[in-house]
């Protein structure tokens, strides 16, 4: 059996999800706008400047989902949303001036919040501003993604979004069960989702992704099985199955959910096992920590050829691009720096008004950070670390650098999580489920943060 509950109970600690290394918890305020501006300038001057991936954060939502841990703002005030859009247009123009025009945008993703809080007309305005500020690769060579809330988009609007150029559509599903939906304050029917999926497919979208969450109140194997069956009938190209992280001390609205209805660790495991069984039987392949994709999907192709990456949006192609984040709280990854925009809307807007990159914190990676980032990326994306490749890229003696990690790795090897020899290590199917634990062995910062900051591994 893939999942041994006793083994997994031993490893069910808290830890980072490694959407970056070092994690955002280690960004600091000594890194600011001028440091980011210098990193952008240096990236233009690289011998072969990297192409670009753009992420735009649109933070507004009409209603609060109680499980949510995103940077979002709940409002029905159109003037607030309009003011944010105007500031974002200014930020786009300002950042565009700092990036050479021969660097092509290969990937664009709109996330939030709820990007479809805005009408297709407003989003068209955003795309026009982006096209003025940056050079985009030809349409077939540029992925254009947007997160759609099926509660706020009807089929006609969904078709309009595809006509605007968005060809990778991501829908937040979480769970179709009415009792679970009531407990998390997010009600959306299967028929609403089916109508949006049909509309974007008819309009020519290249990819449809669903996000599910396991570990929510009232989820049981029987109810969750119905959700998984419904998901499979809608045939998304990708499914992400996120573990719900219950941290009401950080996200106050989570305390509105019935804590006594949260599934036990054993049930959470069972729900995850159901995901593997159901999606495996439906022809999907497991990718990394929490994704299931069709074998022909570009993400699976990228995993095989080594170009898949783990970043703030989960797993993504285009590991070779610099990521420019725009909007409040957005995170950029340019060369060897991470830079996070101010989270508070007022602070972010104030910095944009002063024509400064609205960066509030960040980090310049050391040589040791870069080495460990590559090892952790290899584990999280490919489930394998090749010592010779790491040594060649970083000019180091791998086993000397990671001597402290060896006892923990040996223990995990004895527990069946990985196979290890002098040439490298590879996760087993059980180890893939616990890859965050294995990655922690390579994390120089592990233990430097209060554990409560992170979610449970299972
Ligand atoms: S889950 Fe999405 S729609 Fe719900 S509150 Fe969070 S950002 Fe908004």
């Amino acid at each position: 059996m893939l999942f041994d509950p006793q083994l997994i109970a031993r490893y069910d600690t808290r830890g980072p999800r490694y959407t970056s290394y070092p994690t955002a918890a280690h960004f600091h305020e000594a890194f600011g706008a001028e440091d980011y501006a210098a990193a952008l300038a240096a990236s233009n001057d690289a011998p072969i400047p990297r192409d670009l991936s753009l992420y735009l954060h649109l933070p507004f939502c009409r209603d609060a989902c109680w499980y949510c841990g995103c940077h979002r703002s709940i409002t029905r005030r159109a003037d607030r949303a309009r003011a944010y859009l105007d500031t974002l247009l200014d930020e786009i123009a300002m950042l565009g001036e700092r990036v050479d025009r021969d660097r092509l945008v290969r990937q664009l993703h709109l996330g939030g919040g709820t990007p479809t809080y805005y009408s297709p007309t407003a989003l068209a305005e955003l795309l026009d501003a982006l096209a003025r500020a940056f050079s985009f690769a030809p349409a077939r060579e540029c992925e254009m993604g947007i997160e759609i809330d099926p509660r706020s988009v009807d089929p006609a609007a969904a078709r309009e979004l595809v006509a605007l150029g968005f060809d990778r559509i991501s829908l937040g599903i979480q769970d179709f069960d009415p009792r679970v939906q009531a407990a998390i304050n997010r009600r959306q029917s299967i028929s609403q989702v089916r109508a949006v999926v049909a509309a974007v497919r008819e309009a020519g979208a290249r990819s449809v992704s669903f996000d599910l969450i396991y570990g929510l109140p009232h989820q049981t194997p029987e109810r969750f099985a119905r959700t998984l069956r419904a998901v499979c009938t809608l045939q998304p190209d990708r499914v992400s199955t996120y573990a719900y992280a219950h941290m009401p001390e950080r996200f106050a609205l989570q305390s509105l959910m019935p804590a006594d209805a949260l599934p036990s660790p054993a049930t959470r495991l069972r729900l995850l096992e159901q995901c593997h069984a159901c999606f495996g039987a439906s022809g999907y392949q497991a990718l990394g920590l929490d994704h299931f994709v069709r074998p022909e999907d570009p993400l699976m192709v990228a995993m095989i050829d080594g170009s898949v990456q783990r970043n703030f949006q989960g797993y993504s192609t285009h590991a070779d691009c610099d990521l420019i984040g725009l909007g409040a709280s957005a995170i950029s990854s340019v060369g060897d720096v991470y830079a996070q925009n101010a989270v508070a809307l007022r602070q972010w807007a104030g910095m944009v008004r002063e024509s400064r990159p609205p960066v509030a914190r960040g980090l310049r990676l050391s040589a040791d950070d870069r080495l460990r980032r590559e090892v952790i990326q290899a584990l999280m994306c490919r489930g394998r670390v090749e010592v010779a490749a790491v040594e060649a890229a970083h000019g180091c003696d791998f086993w000397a650098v990671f001597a402290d990690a060896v006892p923990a790795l040996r223990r995990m090897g004895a527990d069946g999580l990985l196979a290890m020899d002098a040439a490298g290590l590879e996760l087993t199917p059980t180890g893939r489920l616990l890859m965050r634990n294995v990655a922690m062995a390579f994390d120089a910062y592990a233990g430097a943060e209060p554990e409560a900051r992170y979610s449970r591994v299972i």
Side-chain angles (χ1 to χ4, degrees):
M1 188 168 85
L2 181 59
F3 303 107
D4 172 351
Q6 284 176 344
L7 174 78
I8 289 170
R10 229 177 13 256
Y11 284 95
D12 185 19
T13 57
R14 290 175 183 266
R17 298 176 62 82
Y18 292 113
T19 51
S20 69
Y21 180 83
T23 66
H26 300 285
F27 297 177
H28 52 78
E29 293 174 3
F31 184 101
E34 287 67 31
D35 299 293
Y36 181 50
L40 282 172
S43 71
N44 289 328
D45 294 338
I48 305 176
R50 291 152 72 96
D51 285 336
L52 303 173
S53 172
L54 304 181
Y55 170 75
L56 269 67
H57 191 72
L58 298 166
F60 298 105
C61 303
R62 285 193 174 76
D63 299 290
C65 310
W66 290 337
Y67 58 84
C68 179
C70 300
H71 289 301
R72 82 300 187 248
S73 175
I74 310 300
T75 185
R76 299 203 168 215
R77 282 184 47 190
D79 58 329
R80 283 193 69 201
R82 181 66 233 184
Y84 182 90
L85 190 67
D86 288 338
T87 307
L88 187 56
L89 298 178
D90 290 343
E91 186 189 5
I92 290 167
M94 173 176 54
L95 266 292
E97 285 174 8
R98 294 174 183 269
V99 176
D100 286 350
R101 293 301 293 247
D102 58 352
R103 304 175 67 185
L104 298 181
V105 177
R106 300 259 173 214
Q107 197 172 42
L108 168 70
H109 186 80
L110 270 54
T114 306
T116 49
Y117 187 99
Y118 290 97
S119 68
T121 307
L123 295 174
E125 210 179 327
L126 203 54
L127 291 181
D128 286 345
L130 288 167
R132 282 195 299 277
F134 297 95
S135 303
F136 277 71
R140 296 301 296 180
E141 297 169 26
C142 181
E143 292 184 357
M144 303 263 288
I146 185 169
E147 294 167 14
I148 285 186
D149 183 338
R151 299 170 301 171
S152 64
V153 171
D154 62 20
R159 278 190 287 272
E160 272 187 81
L161 293 172
V162 178
L164 285 177
F166 293 108
D167 59 358
R168 298 194 172 271
I169 307 297
S170 167
L171 291 107
I173 305 292
Q174 325 318 354
D175 192 312
F176 279 129
D177 186 86
R179 191 165 183 202
V180 175
Q181 291 189 354
I184 64 176
N185 199 38
R186 184 183 174 112
R187 295 172 177 83
Q188 62 191 35
S189 66
I190 296 174
S191 58
Q192 262 176 318
V193 174
R194 187 182 293 119
V196 171
V197 170
V200 299
R201 289 229 188 266
E202 277 166 29
R206 280 195 278 179
S207 171
V208 174
S209 309
F210 284 1
D211 290 347
L212 302 180
I213 301 181
Y214 69 91
L216 294 170
H218 299 301
Q219 277 179 336
T220 63
E222 296 71 31
R223 289 202 188 98
F224 200 53
R226 284 197 289 272
T227 287
L228 293 179
R229 278 197 295 275
V231 165
C232 287
T233 62
L234 294 169
Q235 300 186 316
D237 301 279
R238 301 176 187 174
V239 184
S240 308
T241 54
Y242 298 111
Y244 168 61
H246 191 60
M247 298 193 284
E249 61 287 352
R250 285 187 63 194
F251 308 110
L253 291 184
Q254 290 185 349
S255 59
L256 296 175
M257 299 196 301
D260 57 356
L262 289 169
S264 67
T267 303
R268 285 168 66 99
L269 268 180
R270 178 85 187 97
L271 300 173
L272 180 57
E273 187 176 23
Q274 283 181 289
C275 294
H276 280 264
C278 182
F279 295 126
S282 299
Y284 293 85
Q285 292 186 352
L287 187 149
L289 184 62
D290 44 25
H291 279 39
F292 297 89
V293 300
R294 295 257 175 227
E296 65 280 8
D297 189 280
L299 210 45
M300 187 50 75
V301 175
M303 191 181 88
I304 291 163
D305 73 18
S307 63
V308 71
Q309 65 169 330
R310 184 155 173 79
N311 67 13
F312 306 103
Q313 281 81 57
Y315 287 94
S316 167
T317 55
H318 293 85
D320 50 343
C321 287
D322 279 333
L323 169 66
I324 296 185
L326 298 148
S329 79
I331 300 178
S332 302
S333 172
V334 174
D336 289 338
V337 310
Y338 291 121
Q340 183 172 26
N341 280 358
V343 172
L345 301 189
R346 189 172 298 208
Q347 185 189 358
W348 166 77
M351 292 180 80
V352 173
R353 267 197 302 278
E354 293 164 6
S355 294
R356 298 166 65 209
V359 166
R361 55 203 284 271
L363 181 82
R364 179 176 302 283
L365 279 79
S366 66
D368 185 65
D369 291 335
R370 291 197 296 275
L371 165 64
R372 290 171 191 270
R373 173 166 74 171
E374 180 170 329
V375 172
I376 289 173
Q377 277 270 337
L379 270 174
M380 301 297 289
C381 294
R382 296 187 291 285
R384 186 173 74 240
V385 179
E386 284 157 22
V387 166
V390 175
E391 289 183 338
H394 294 271
C396 66
D397 176 340
F398 183 95
W399 291 115
V401 174
F402 293 113
D404 287 355
V406 169
L409 293 171
R410 287 220 175 96
R411 266 196 308 280
M412 290 188 242
D415 280 339
L417 272 58
L418 54 90
M420 183 169 72
D421 60 22
L425 60 96
E426 178 147 17
L427 300 178
T428 62
T430 306
R432 284 180 175 266
L433 176 67
L434 297 169
M435 59 175 68
R436 289 164 71 186
N437 298 71
V438 182
M440 276 188 258
F442 294 98
D443 182 345
Y445 301 85
E449 280 294 314
E451 253 211 345
R453 183 180 174 89
Y454 296 118
S455 60
R456 300 205 74 81
V457 169
I458 296 291

